[in-house]
């Protein structure tokens, strides 16, 4: 639709603008404000007044400035060229913006989200006369080393194919097919648009059953996440939310990663931009950037774009899901998004609920997390969106509204513990507060690979950790010497388990991720020590002697010394462990 | 459509500098004026009192019926009919120039050292613009501060923002001054330009910094922006922005390495709360406005390095935690934005340890990329991790000892107690004019760790143990 003038600015209060004289504005319409052409969105209409949230700094906007409507809701462009790009919260390509305005982002600049010049090698998948419906694959493009981009029929279109483009190199704007939808003939290009606040349609939801393997032992073994699942990672500052998110983004076995830096530090995004292209995905051998999309709306960028960034990210994820991929979305941090909601709500003078947050906060959180799922796509393929949301509770207090409401809508919870982080035990996921409701769903998957071992070992270790907490309480009162050796041995095992298994170094080449096989074998060895040690204490060995076994040092360091692709060393450690304990 | 745009622009240009006599309401630092022309948001306002004195202000809220202006230099002495308001049609700009080093300014960038105003062709908007994340250079150059607990465990990196979380009566000023004096890059002859923003601090503290800069002979490389405790509190809102605008010019246009010290950020936040309350905004925690996070981020994110620019901005904000509470909104939100924090501990201070840096809650997020082989020493990363792990266990043992008594501890726990004391007394503790190089700091750390049996040092590799343990 043609850009048209729809009204005038009446009042400016930060990123919130009141407008009057609105003739034909619609809810959620994308608008541009004043001659600086600042991007905004209509969020409230009443009579001929409207409230607009502006995605850029509003300095200099004055009453009487003209508001231009675009006739479209705030949408993202979907097509080849998304992967490897870094966008801001409203899908403006930051690298292109840097070319236009230099190192600082000036206001009112625009650039198409998808590169219009780049040529793609296009192979059609349809023929003349075919009937196509939403989700039909029109053709394919090799987008990166490992991602075959399937160009889909937009979800709101169906009809008969009139003409098809031959294979060859084209830009995204080239008409690849003409579709007769019964009344008119429509041109289809490689890109289409989709409003960010509306979930993309699917055929049906499929029950979750496959774990998302993250390579982080504490997650995969103790608190597994399922593909299509949702998880919250709350933690005070410095407890390692971002580090955990980065580790998962690097090593998890999703096909595509969408990383949303929502109101966080600029240097963190720079870190990702520097590091990911250099890292190699162990599963495919190609660079990690070949599967990553970045959305960066750092804390100093406009607050309302921060609100939109979460939806932009999840819409891009849904688009790749519809092509049959497993997508993992990291949102760091959802608290900043909630605070953006609060700030905008405050500027609109809405009645606040808890701690100044608007009353619709839980609804918004629920809407967001419900966009995750393991789906049968319109094209009868399987794809998933997994949502991993960091939460930054003020003062590290998990009883605040964002953490509490998020907990209601996620099924997995990895609480980060200040005490662990202080000891630089990372990932600082607390085994006390965390839980995963996906245990039953993913158990069959593990059983296929390891028999009953995984579930049994996990239950055993959780039981030991629980017992240790009780024992530690006693130790705190009377000292460790008061306990019998058998009980002190439980503490000993748990300490070993924490050091050798749960703690994982993100910077070590062997330890930064662990394969499923390595995790299983490590558990076996630690639990074997527990079992043999317990027997041996029962037979009269003292704890002091048990502690002196040399092989314990190797067990503590096996995470660092044993490479993922050669686990034979673990067999040797296990054999030595058996021999040493026998000797006692 | 283009036609209306142009008319609009001409119309706005014509209205620049239009002046009104008489205002409708004065409430604290905020003036409300009705029936003006179309005034832009955040536009600069000159507020002229009966004595023709000009005070600067900024538009906070603008609508067709009324405009709210906050006056940075306070509203005392203003009258409703006698006040003139002149709307400048542009945001607050300050002239920036390298000759501003060695000078003293007030919070709005006007000289208060008796010298002439700075002359410069370049004027910059004090609000700045957000840096494009793709244009940032990731900071990784190690700054040696000569302070063991910082260099070895909470390494400062050039381009980092690392605040000091302190409390009243703790020696944060000494530490900041010591860092400003001693900071160097190894193997490079660089000197830092210092931009110092005083936010509501007392005269003698400002004096202390000036004396300290003077005695180390760096005063000509320091630009001071002073908004002291008896200046209007509202001026503090603009002071860090003025200071950072100059810092950005020095770093990105003149290629200098700039160290920005801002003290005390708590006073800045208080001023923000004051304005917010007067405007009747909905508060979030402890009465602070909901946008405190975004507002602080606007300041703290104005640091770092930019691709293609040789300069950098390293920020060292100081804040006093109200009631030593680290979960108070000011330190809490700061910690979420900055790249780590150095936390002071009152208990260590009263035991006479300087700097009283609490080992465990302190953190430097950029440390991982600035230390190790070729940068500091190859054993540094594992050593730092081990110090944190062992010291954290010391805290547990101390708690235990306070319940069951030292005598009842196991032999190993006693070794830990000894390690803890040695760590605090020899490693953390140093004189405030003592400048240790990184090797010295790491060696002292090894000497402390050697109190513990080698099998307790699980985060250190065999090779490193062979080389350093017990030496």
């Amino acid at each position: 639709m043609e850009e048209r003038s729809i009204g005038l600015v009446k009042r400016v209060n930060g990123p919130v603008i009141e407008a009057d004289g609105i003739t034909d504005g619609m809810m959620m319409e994308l608008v541009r404000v004043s001659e600086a052409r600042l991007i905004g969105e209509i969020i409230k209409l009443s009579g001929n007044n409207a409230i607009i949230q502006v995605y850029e700094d509003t300095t200099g906007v004055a009453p009487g400035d003209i508001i231009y409507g675009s006739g479209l809701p705030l949408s993202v462009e979907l097509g080849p060229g998304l992967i490897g790009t870094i966008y801001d919260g409203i899908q403006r390509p930051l690298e292109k913006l840097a070319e236009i305005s230099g190192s600082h982002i000036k206001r009112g600049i625009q650039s198409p989200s998808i590169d219009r010049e780049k040529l793609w090698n296009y192979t059609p998948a349809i023929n003349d006369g075919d009937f196509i419906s939403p989700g039909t694959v029109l053709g394919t493009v090799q987008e990166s080393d490992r991602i075959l981009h399937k160009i889909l029929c937009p979800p709101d279109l169906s009809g008969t194919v009139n003409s098809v483009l031959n294979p060859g190199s084209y830009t995204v704007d080239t008409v690849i097919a003409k579709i007769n939808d019964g009344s008119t003939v429509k041109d289809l290009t490689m890109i289409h648009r989709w409003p960010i606040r509306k979930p993309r349609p699917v055929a049906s939801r499929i029950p979750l059953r496959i774990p998302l393997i993250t390579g982080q032992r504490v997650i995969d073994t103790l608190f597994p996440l399922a593909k299509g699942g949702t998880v919250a990672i709350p933690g005070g500052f410095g407890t390692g939310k971002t580090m955990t998110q980065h580790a998962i983004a690097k090593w998890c076995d999703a096909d595509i990663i969408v990383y949303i830096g929502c109101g966080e530090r600029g240097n963190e995004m720079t870190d990702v931009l520097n590091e990911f292209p250099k890292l190699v995905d162990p599963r495919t051998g190609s660079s990690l950037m070949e599967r990553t999309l970045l959305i960066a709306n750092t804390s100093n960028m406009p607050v309302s774009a921060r609100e939109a960034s979460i939806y932009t990210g999840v819409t891009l994820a849904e688009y790749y899901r519809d092509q049959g991929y497993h997508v993992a979305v990291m949102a760091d941090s959802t608290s900043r998004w909630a605070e953006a909601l609060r700030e905008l709500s405050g500027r609109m003078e809405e009645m606040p609920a808890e701690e100044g947050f608007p009353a619709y906060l839980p609804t918004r959180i629920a809407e967001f997390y419900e966009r995750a799922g393991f789906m049968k796509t319109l094209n009868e393929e399987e794809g998933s969106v997994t949502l991993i949301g960091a939460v930054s509770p003020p003062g590290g207090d998990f009883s605040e509204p964002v953490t509490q409401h998020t907990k209601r809508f996620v099924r997995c919870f990895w609480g980060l513990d200040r005490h662990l982080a202080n000891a630089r035990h990372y990932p600082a996921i607390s085994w006390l507060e965390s839980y995963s409701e996906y245990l039953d769903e993913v158990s069959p998957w593990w059983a296929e690979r390891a028999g009953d071992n995984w579930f049994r070992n996990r239950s055993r270790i959780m039981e030991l950790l629980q017992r240790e907490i009780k024992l530690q309480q006693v130790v705190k009162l009377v000292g460790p010497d008061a306990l019998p050796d058998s009980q002190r041995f439980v503490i000993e095992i748990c300490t070993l388990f924490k050091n050798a298994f749960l703690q994982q170094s993100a910077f070590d080449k062997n330890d930064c991720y662990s394969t499923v096989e390595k995790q299983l074998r490590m558990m076996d060895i630690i639990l074997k020590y527990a079992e043999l040690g317990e027997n041996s204490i029962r037979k009269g060995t003292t704890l002091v002697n048990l502690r002196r076994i040399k092989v314990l040092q190797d067990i503590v360091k096996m995470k660092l010394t044993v490479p993922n692709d050669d686990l034979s060393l673990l067999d040797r450690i296990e054999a030595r462990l058996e021999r040493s304990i026998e000797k006692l | 459509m283009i036609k209306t745009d142009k008319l609009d622009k001409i119309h706005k240009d014509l209205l620049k500098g239009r002046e009104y006599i008489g205002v409708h309401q004065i409430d604290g630092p905020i003036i409300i004026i009705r029936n003006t022309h179309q005034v832009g948001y955040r536009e600069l306002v000159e507020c002229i009192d009966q004595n023709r004195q000009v005070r600067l202000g900024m538009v906070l809220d603008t609508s067709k019926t009324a405009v709210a202006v906050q006056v940075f230099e306070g509203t005392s002495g203003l009258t409703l009919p006698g006040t003139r308001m002149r709307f400048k049609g542009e945001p607050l700009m300050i002239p920036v120039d390298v000759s501003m080093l060695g000078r003293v300014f007030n919070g709005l960038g006007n000289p208060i050292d008796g010298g002439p105003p700075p002359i410069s062709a370049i004027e910059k908007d004090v609000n700045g613009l957000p840096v494009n994340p793709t244009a940032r250079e990731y900071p990784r150059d190690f700054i040696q501060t000569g302070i063991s607990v910082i260099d070895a465990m909470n390494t400062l990196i050039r381009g980092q923002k690392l605040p000091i979380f302190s409390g009243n009566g703790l020696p944060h000023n000494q530490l900041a001054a010591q860092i400003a004096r001693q900071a160097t890059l190894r193997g490079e002859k660089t000197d830092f330009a210092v931009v110092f923003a005083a936010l509501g601090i007392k005269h003698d503290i400002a004096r202390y910094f000036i004396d300290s800069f003077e005695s180390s002979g760096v005063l000509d490389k320091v630009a001071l922006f002073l908004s002291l405790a008896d200046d209007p509190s509202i001026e503090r809102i603009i002071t860090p922005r003025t200071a950072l605008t100059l810092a950005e010019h020095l770093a990105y246009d003149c290629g200098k390495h700039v160290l920005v010290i801002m003290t005390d950020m708590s006073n800045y936040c208080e001023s923000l709360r004051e304005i917010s309350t007067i405007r009747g905004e909905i508060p979030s925690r402890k009465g602070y406005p909901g946008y405190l996070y975004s507002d602080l981020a606007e300041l703290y994110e104005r640091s770092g390095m930019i691709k293609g620019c040789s300069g950098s901005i390293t920020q060292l904000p100081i804040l006093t935690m109200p009631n030593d509470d680290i979960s108070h909104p000011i330190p809490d939100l700061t910690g979420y934005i900055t790249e780590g924090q150095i936390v002071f501990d009152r208990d260590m201070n009263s035991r006479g340890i300087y700097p009283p840096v609490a080992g465990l809650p302190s953190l430097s997020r950029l440390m991982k990329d600035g230390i190790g082989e070729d940068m500091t020493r190859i054993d540094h990363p594992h050593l730092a991790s081990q110090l944190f792990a062992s010291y954290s266990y010391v805290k547990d043992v101390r708690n235990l000892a306070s319940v069951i008594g030292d005598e009842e501890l196991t032999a190993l726990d006693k070794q830990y107690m000894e390690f803890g004391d040695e760590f605090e007394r020899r490693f953390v503790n140093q004189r405030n004019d003592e400048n240790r190089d990184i090797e010295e700091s790491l060696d002292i750390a090894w000497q402390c760790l050697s109190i513990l049996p080698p099998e307790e040092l699980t985060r250190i590799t065999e090779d490193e143990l062979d080389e350093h343990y017990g030496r």
Side-chain angles (χ1 to χ4, degrees):
Chain A
M1 204 190 278
E2 188 82 341
E3 189 176 77
R4 69 214 196 282
S5 158
I6 57 167
L8 299 175
V9 174
K10 184 178 163 201
R11 175 181 175 201
V12 190
N13 180 5
V16 173
I17 283 183
E18 271 175 45
D20 63 0
I22 296 289
T23 44
D24 60 346
M26 64 177 181
M27 270 303 266
M28 300 301 160
E29 181 175 347
L30 178 75
V31 297
R32 296 192 188 274
V33 177
S34 87
E35 72 266 38
R37 289 291 198 280
L38 308 178
I39 301 170
E41 190 181 3
I42 298 181
I43 50 173
K44 197 188 246 178
L45 283 169
S46 79
N48 53 5
N49 288 342
I51 290 187
I52 294 164
Q53 72 180 34
V54 180
Y55 294 117
E56 296 178 80
D57 181 23
T58 48
T59 300
V61 175
D65 284 351
I66 301 169
I67 292 162
Y68 305 94
S70 68
L72 294 167
L74 184 64
S75 326
V76 285
E77 282 189 340
L78 302 167
L82 293 167
I83 288 191
T85 317
I86 175 165
Y87 291 111
D88 76 352
I90 43 173
Q91 214 207 5
R92 293 187 301 175
L94 285 170
E95 271 156 342
K96 284 274 174 331
L97 297 193
E99 281 169 29
I100 301 170
S101 78
S103 54
H104 291 74
I105 302 172
K106 299 210 171 77
R107 296 186 306 147
I109 43 176
Q110 286 173 54
S111 174
S113 304
I114 292 177
D115 191 339
R116 294 297 199 271
E117 315 280 305
K118 191 164 178 182
L119 291 174
W120 296 97
N121 228 335
Y122 171 75
T123 318
I126 43 166
N127 297 310
D128 264 1
D130 282 1
F131 179 79
I132 60 162
S133 56
T136 308
V137 178
L138 306 175
T140 56
V141 153
Q142 194 67 40
E143 188 175 2
S144 77
D145 276 0
R146 53 180 296 185
I147 300 298
L148 183 71
H149 192 113
K150 295 168 191 159
I151 294 160
L152 304 175
C153 178
D156 47 7
L157 192 72
S158 58
T160 331
V161 179
N162 254 352
S163 79
V164 175
L165 191 68
N166 290 325
S169 286
Y170 304 103
T171 60
V172 286
D173 273 339
T174 317
V175 174
I176 54 169
K178 288 185 190 298
I179 307 296
N180 187 344
D181 68 353
S183 51
T184 53
V185 176
K186 286 199 170 121
D187 292 345
L188 288 184
T189 65
M190 289 189 215
I191 48 180
H192 68 271
R193 300 184 68 85
W194 189 260
I196 60 169
R197 296 182 199 278
K198 191 170 159 194
R200 285 174 65 85
V202 290
S204 61
R205 277 179 187 262
I206 303 175
L208 312 183
R209 57 181 198 280
I210 307 171
L212 183 85
I213 298 297
T214 61
Q216 308 301 303
R217 293 183 292 265
V218 57
I219 294 173
D220 293 347
T221 304
L222 293 189
F223 309 107
L225 175 63
K227 284 203 170 88
T230 48
V231 59
I233 317 180
F237 63 83
T239 50
K241 289 180 301 298
T242 305
M243 291 301 294
T244 310
Q245 294 256 32
H246 279 198
I248 298 171
K250 284 174 194 162
W251 309 121
C252 80
D253 66 346
D255 301 312
I256 309 255
I257 304 292
V258 178
Y259 195 97
I260 311 169
C262 173
E264 291 284 309
R265 304 173 184 89
N267 277 333
E268 275 169 6
M269 294 316 287
T270 315
D271 192 16
V272 174
L273 278 175
N274 284 345
E275 203 180 357
F276 276 37
K278 289 184 209 141
L279 291 172
V280 172
D281 183 349
R283 270 167 292 271
T284 60
S286 56
S287 151
L288 280 179
M289 209 60 199
E290 302 275 319
R291 66 165 193 182
T292 310
L293 284 100
L294 295 171
I295 294 175
N297 210 92
T298 55
S299 53
N300 55 342
M301 283 155 83
V303 68
S304 28
R306 194 189 299 165
E307 192 266 331
S309 64
I310 291 268
Y311 298 104
T312 303
V314 77
T315 310
L316 297 179
E318 286 177 340
Y319 175 61
Y320 281 95
R321 173 203 67 200
D322 290 349
Q323 298 172 36
Y325 290 111
H326 295 291
V327 190
V329 181
M330 330 277 148
D332 185 15
S333 139
T334 55
S335 293
R336 304 293 161 239
W337 164 73
E339 281 163 16
L341 278 181
R342 172 169 73 186
E343 184 173 337
L344 295 167
S345 158
R347 302 252 189 203
M348 288 190 283
E349 287 156 9
E350 290 172 342
M351 182 69 90
E354 293 158 276
E355 294 197 14
F357 285 106
Y360 48 75
L361 175 72
T363 327
R364 294 286 174 88
I365 293 178
E367 276 168 6
F368 170 66
Y369 281 105
E370 275 308 284
R371 289 178 78 166
F374 202 110
M375 309 290 192
K376 178 157 270 167
T377 68
L378 295 176
N379 196 27
E380 297 292 298
E381 283 187 273
E382 286 186 358
S384 69
V385 171
T386 311
L387 288 183
I388 302 168
V391 182
S392 320
D397 171 16
F398 290 178
S399 65
E400 57 91 37
V402 182
T403 317
Q404 281 309 312
H405 290 307
T406 304
K407 248 179 152 172
R408 290 164 52 199
F409 305 114
V410 297
R411 293 185 55 208
C412 193
F413 186 82
W414 301 332
L416 300 181
D417 184 72
R418 165 76 58 197
H419 192 71
L420 290 175
N422 280 350
R424 301 305 189 260
H425 173 118
Y426 292 122
I429 295 175
S430 153
W431 44 90
L432 280 177
E433 277 180 286
S434 306
Y435 58 80
S436 167
E437 291 178 25
Y438 298 115
L439 217 52
D440 295 337
E441 272 119 319
V442 302
S443 285
W445 185 93
W446 282 93
E448 256 174 55
R449 272 151 196 82
D452 295 334
N453 265 352
W454 178 75
F455 195 76
R456 207 178 46 225
N457 284 353
R458 185 195 175 275
S459 314
R460 172 98 179 99
I461 206 75
M462 285 305 280
E463 182 210 318
L464 283 173
L465 288 170
Q466 289 302 325
R467 267 177 68 192
E468 192 228 358
I469 290 151
K470 294 266 151 49
L471 293 173
Q472 287 287 11
Q473 286 167 352
V474 179
V475 169
K476 272 190 189 138
L477 290 177
V478 293
D481 282 344
L483 293 178
D485 272 3
S486 60
Q487 293 192 336
R488 286 179 68 184
F489 186 64
V490 172
I491 298 183
E492 194 68 19
I493 288 288
C494 289
T495 312
L496 178 73
F497 183 69
K498 290 174 208 164
N499 286 330
F501 191 88
L502 295 181
Q503 196 215 350
Q504 193 164 355
S505 162
F507 309 114
D508 188 87
K509 65 178 189 322
N510 288 330
D511 199 26
C512 57
Y513 80 99
S514 288
T515 55
V516 169
E517 290 75 23
K518 186 174 168 186
Q519 298 190 25
L520 284 167
R521 290 290 292 133
M522 286 172 73
M523 282 269 273
D524 280 346
I525 291 176
I526 294 167
L527 286 172
K528 173 149 269 168
Y529 173 62
E531 187 193 320
L532 295 178
E534 234 167 70
N535 284 336
S536 147
I537 285 180
R538 221 173 290 139
K539 284 184 196 141
T541 319
T542 59
L543 185 65
V544 180
N545 284 334
L546 208 52
R547 256 190 194 156
R548 278 208 194 114
I549 319 177
K550 280 270 177 309
V551 73
L552 282 183
Q553 289 300 309
D554 295 327
I555 294 181
V556 172
K557 285 176 181 158
M558 65 188 170
K559 58 182 182 180
L560 305 169
T561 51
V562 181
N564 279 309
D565 48 8
D566 180 17
L567 301 180
S568 58
L569 200 60
L570 290 177
D571 297 334
R572 258 175 284 156
I573 291 177
E574 191 174 9
R576 272 181 58 207
L577 173 72
E578 283 169 13
R579 276 201 308 277
S580 321
I581 294 197
E582 240 167 70
K583 265 190 224 153
L584 290 173
Chain B
M1 205 63 68
I2 295 159
K3 228 174 162 183
T4 42
D5 273 15
K6 272 195 182 150
L7 278 177
D8 211 28
K9 184 96 187 76
I10 294 165
H11 183 63
K12 272 192 180 173
D13 281 346
L14 283 175
L15 288 169
K16 261 187 198 171
R18 185 185 263 218
E19 195 175 304
Y20 296 85
I21 303 173
V23 296
H24 291 84
Q25 190 185 334
I26 304 178
D27 185 356
I30 292 183
I31 295 181
I32 311 278
I33 170 164
R34 292 186 201 281
N35 307 322
T36 60
H37 66 279
Q38 298 163 358
V39 173
Y41 179 67
R42 284 214 197 178
E43 195 169 292
L44 178 68
V45 185
E46 284 176 354
C47 168
I48 304 152
D49 61 20
Q50 294 104 310
N51 308 325
R52 296 263 151 208
Q53 290 291 315
V54 177
R55 311 178 193 203
L56 295 183
M58 188 176 79
V59 174
L60 276 188
D61 193 329
T62 168
S63 68
K64 281 184 175 167
T65 47
V67 174
V69 176
Q70 65 178 17
V71 182
F72 296 123
E73 283 142 303
T75 47
S76 64
L78 294 182
T79 59
L80 289 182
T83 305
R84 293 154 179 258
M85 302 289 272
R86 188 184 295 154
F87 293 92
K88 304 286 280 183
E90 56 184 24
L92 177 59
M93 314 277 269
I94 63 156
V96 285
D97 192 73
V98 74
S99 67
M100 288 168 79
L101 286 175
R103 303 280 310 272
V104 186
F105 304 92
N106 71 1
L108 296 160
N110 299 321
I112 49 172
D113 53 0
I119 298 164
S120 173
I122 309 166
E123 288 212 332
K124 289 207 163 186
D125 180 356
V126 293
N127 294 310
L129 286 168
V131 178
N132 190 322
T134 61
R136 276 185 191 271
E137 183 81 56
Y138 192 69
R140 48 179 81 237
D141 300 329
F142 164 68
I143 296 178
Q144 181 178 299
T145 62
I147 297 157
S148 294
V149 67
I150 296 179
D151 288 351
M153 293 175 72
N154 304 290
T155 316
L156 179 65
I157 302 290
R158 187 159 68 180
Q160 187 174 14
K161 36 189 182 296
L162 189 64
I164 300 175
F165 288 6
S166 184
N168 298 319
L170 296 180
H172 43 268
N173 297 322
Q174 281 93 310
L175 186 71
Q178 191 178 2
I179 294 175
R181 274 199 313 271
Q182 298 182 351
T184 52
L185 276 138
R186 285 153 61 83
E188 208 180 299
K189 178 88 190 73
T190 36
D191 40 312
F192 286 90
V194 178
V195 172
F196 181 85
L199 310 167
I201 56 170
K202 291 181 277 296
H203 277 269
D204 34 353
I205 293 171
R207 193 73 247 162
Y208 170 80
F209 275 100
I210 296 172
D211 288 346
S212 155
F213 294 137
E214 203 164 13
S215 63
S216 51
V218 293
L219 198 56
D220 57 334
K221 293 192 202 91
V222 182
L224 294 117
F225 291 85
L226 303 182
S227 171
L228 299 176
D230 54 356
D231 290 324
S233 83
I234 182 88
E235 190 183 307
R236 274 160 226 159
I237 291 186
I238 210 79
T239 310
R241 293 187 162 80
T242 341
L244 286 166
T245 307
L246 175 66
E248 281 178 337
H249 173 71
L250 295 174
Y252 305 140
D253 300 334
C254 309
K256 284 188 175 296
H257 296 292
V258 188
L259 182 66
V260 181
I261 299 175
M262 300 191 285
T263 180
D264 174 335
M265 290 306 291
S266 305
N267 293 337
Y268 172 82
C269 299
E270 304 280 315
S271 296
L272 215 57
R273 175 166 71 177
E274 205 179 311
I275 294 291
S276 170
T277 320
I278 293 169
R279 292 179 66 191
E281 287 172 339
I282 294 162
S284 64
R285 267 201 306 156
K286 298 210 171 168
Y288 290 95
Y291 50 80
L292 182 61
Y293 177 84
S294 306
D295 195 281
L296 285 172
E298 266 177 36
L299 301 180
Y300 295 139
E301 281 286 329
R302 291 171 82 173
S303 62
M305 297 169 81
I306 285 180
K307 280 181 192 149
C309 295
S310 55
S312 65
I313 299 178
T314 310
Q315 271 192 26
L316 210 61
I318 298 171
L319 58 89
T320 45
M321 297 181 280
N323 204 16
D324 291 350
D325 175 14
I326 198 172
S327 64
H328 184 279
I330 299 171
D332 191 49
L333 295 178
T334 301
Y336 276 119
I337 305 163
T338 53
E339 285 141 353
Q341 64 276 340
I342 292 173
V343 185
F344 275 12
D345 181 36
R346 197 169 289 281
D347 175 53
M348 281 175 87
N349 186 54
S350 47
R351 280 189 284 139
I353 294 166
Y354 171 89
V357 174
L360 302 178
S362 302
L363 168 77
S364 163
R365 290 167 191 270
L366 299 183
M367 177 173 175
K368 62 187 169 66
D369 296 300
I371 60 168
E373 206 174 0
D374 299 332
M375 292 174 285
T376 53
R377 205 166 76 183
I378 188 165
D379 56 317
H380 190 169
H382 289 149
L383 178 68
S385 171
Q386 185 64 57
L387 285 171
F388 279 113
S390 302
Y391 190 54
S392 140
Y393 189 71
V394 168
K395 295 269 171 178
D396 290 344
V397 175
R398 282 186 183 160
N399 286 340
L400 181 61
S402 68
V403 180
I404 63 170
D406 291 5
E407 291 306 309
E408 296 295 312
L409 293 176
T410 62
L412 179 65
D413 286 352
K414 281 179 185 154
Q415 281 177 310
Y416 267 105
M417 290 285 274
E418 196 190 333
F419 159 75
D421 292 343
E422 200 67 3
F423 171 82
E424 288 171 358
R425 261 205 348 263
R426 287 196 52 213
F427 176 79
V428 178
N429 192 24
Q430 65 185 83
R431 294 192 316 276
N432 68 7
D433 58 349
E434 188 176 353
N435 194 352
R436 295 181 187 164
D437 66 19
I438 178 71
E439 281 81 11
E440 193 185 346
S441 295
L442 294 180
D443 288 342
I444 298 175
W446 272 108
Q447 285 159 18
C448 297
L449 278 178
S450 297
I451 294 171
L452 299 172
E455 58 269 18
E456 285 296 307
L457 308 180
T458 54
R459 298 196 182 172
I460 289 172
T461 66
E462 294 297 327
D463 295 349
E464 287 160 359
L465 277 177
D466 285 348
E467 204 183 326
H468 299 284
Y469 182 77
R471 306 266 154 149

